[in-house]
Amino acid sequence: MGNDFTSALRPAIVMTILFAILLGIGYPLAMTGIGQTLFPAQANGSLIRDSGGKVIGSTVVGQAFTSERYFQTRPSAAGDGYDGLASSGSNLGPTAQALTDRVKADVEKRQAEGVTGAVPVDLITASGSGLDPDLSPAAALAQAPRIAKIRGLPETRVRALVAAETKGPMLGFLGEDRVNVLALNQALDRLGAGPAQ
């Protein structure tokens, strides 16, 4: 009987060790190597650097822009706002008073900034992850008058910049048109300021 137990236990232990090495070490190393070889920028976080080489953000993780000179991102429910360590939605339902109060305050804030008409929904609601780096073109265009006025640029030029930075659905049919806010603000800085007004 003891001999049967030992002969049955040995293959189980060997297979456990083999699969631990294969799937715990071999597979992750292979996937890391493939990622670093075929998609190095994406595997390293899709980082964006300034002209001096300093990391200023990522194309796939949103960040808050507080200056009125920049396009603002959508609200974030991640920690204290765009905290990558606290990625999540707010889990507040449509009948939650806290959500209603926050959305009302955001609508008033956007209207005070000069957004007229209906405020685009992504300027007043957080994304599911709380870290969405993109806005709809409508949300970016709603901010164009403020940006044009503060920077002394013609509004048509700011609107053309938004159109130039707008990306279509992935593969032509997945998702909607979108504008990466960090890329848009970088393009805005390259555009410079208009004549002093």
Side-chain angles (χ1 to χ4, degrees):
M1 173 107 170
N3 204 12
D4 290 341
F5 179 73
T6 304
S7 64
L9 187 59
R10 185 175 306 140
I13 291 172
V14 169
M15 292 303 285
T16 299
I17 292 170
L18 177 67
F19 277 103
I21 292 169
L22 179 67
L23 300 175
I25 298 172
Y27 180 76
L29 286 176
M31 291 299 103
T32 300
I34 291 169
Q36 289 292 337
T37 303
L38 299 178
F39 308 103
Q42 294 88 338
N44 292 314
S46 302
L47 300 176
I48 296 177
R49 300 177 186 276
D50 65 9
S51 57
K54 179 183 173 192
V55 174
I56 59 171
S58 170
T59 60
V60 294
V61 178
Q63 62 190 55
F65 290 91
T66 55
S67 171
E68 291 296 312
R69 295 179 48 78
Y70 291 105
F71 286 92
Q72 307 293 307
T73 54
R74 65 188 304 164
S76 175
D80 292 333
Y82 289 96
D83 178 2
L85 299 175
S87 171
S88 68
S90 67
N91 292 329
L92 296 174
T95 59
Q97 190 60 45
L99 178 62
T100 303
D101 294 342
R102 189 192 56 75
V103 168
K104 282 182 184 177
D106 284 346
V107 168
E108 291 170 2
K109 174 186 169 194
R110 297 301 181 175
Q111 289 172 337
E113 292 173 349
V115 175
T116 57
V119 177
V121 71
D122 51 335
L123 285 179
I124 56 174
T125 58
S127 67
S129 69
L131 301 173
D132 192 348
D134 300 323
L135 282 177
S136 67
L141 289 171
Q143 299 178 67
R146 172 180 52 84
I147 298 292
K149 181 178 179 185
I150 289 172
R151 290 199 177 231
L153 294 166
E155 189 175 329
T156 54
R157 195 168 183 195
V158 176
R159 289 180 171 278
L161 182 67
V162 171
E165 291 295 322
T166 298
K167 306 292 184 233
M170 289 188 295
L171 303 175
F173 67 94
L174 294 174
E176 300 176 354
D177 288 351
R178 67 204 182 284
V179 181
N180 184 285
V181 179
L182 178 56
L184 180 61
N185 284 333
Q186 282 187 299
L188 185 62
D189 281 343
R190 285 191 299 272
L191 195 63
Q197 291 184 352

